[in-house]
Amino acid sequence: MEKTPIKGMLYTGTKSVLAAPFTRTDAASHLGRNLKSENSDEEEGYLVEYEDGYQSWSPKSTFEKAYQPSGTFVDRMRIELADLHNRIVSLHGFMLTQKYRELSDVEQSMLVRQFTTMHDYHDALANRLDYYNSLVPNGSK
């Protein structure tokens, strides 16, 4: 049965979770319930505990698309740098469009300043990350 799309607003959120590698079978035993997913063939995954204490299991591919290790400040810098890079690419793409060219000179100027500042921030963050990666093998600190 095909799901009917809902009409609503787009929401973006982030959350931190505790997770450990668990097979579906081991997680079902730990949680005391049957675990089903859209890809029932996938056995590898993660047992996940949310901030409120709720625990669930997530298939490996689903979990790894949504979460990245963030246990150290170096991990968090990597995440921040990747997010900033994506935002820069997105803004640059917009600045190549007709819609951007139709903006007023003031709006274009503000976006150019934002783009330049984001680049400067990206460079500073990348330099810090390079520094810490040179101190500790694999950047884990």
Side-chain angles (χ1 to χ4, degrees):
M1 182 175 157
E2 192 172 322
K3 293 181 183 175
T4 304
I6 64 171
K7 293 180 181 169
M9 293 177 39
L10 179 65
Y11 289 82
T12 302
T14 59
K15 59 186 161 199
S16 295
V17 298
L18 293 174
F22 260 68
T23 64
R24 175 193 305 279
T25 304
D26 290 342
S29 176
H30 175 84
L31 296 170
R33 61 182 185 256
N34 188 23
L35 299 173
K36 298 182 182 193
S37 81
E38 292 182 21
N39 183 0
S40 59
D41 294 336
E42 191 168 6
E43 180 66 14
E44 289 185 57
Y46 290 85
L47 183 65
V48 180
E49 182 174 301
Y50 297 90
E51 193 175 89
D52 64 0
Y54 178 77
Q55 293 183 349
S56 67
W57 182 83
S58 181
K60 183 177 180 176
S61 62
T62 302
F63 182 85
E64 290 179 353
K65 283 181 193 171
Y67 295 100
Q68 298 174 50
S70 61
T72 69
F73 74 94
V74 174
D75 291 334
R76 292 186 294 277
M77 278 196 298
R78 278 192 198 103
I79 293 168
E80 185 174 354
L81 187 63
D83 181 56
L84 183 57
H85 173 80
N86 291 336
R87 291 172 187 266
I88 289 169
V89 168
S90 178
L91 179 54
H92 182 255
F94 174 71
M95 292 170 76
L96 298 173
T97 67
Q98 180 63 34
K99 190 169 183 176
Y100 171 80
R101 289 188 290 280
E102 292 171 358
L103 295 174
S104 71
D105 289 345
V106 170
E107 291 171 304
Q108 287 183 14
S109 177
M110 288 188 295
L111 284 173
V112 167
R113 181 168 182 239
Q114 178 181 337
F115 184 76
T116 303
T117 302
M118 289 168 74
H119 260 284
D120 290 343
Y121 180 40
H122 181 279
D123 290 347
L125 195 55
N127 287 338
R128 284 186 66 215
L129 195 52
D130 287 345
Y131 172 76
Y132 288 111
N133 283 332
S134 73
L135 294 177
V136 181
N138 299 324
S140 56
K141 184 170 179 154

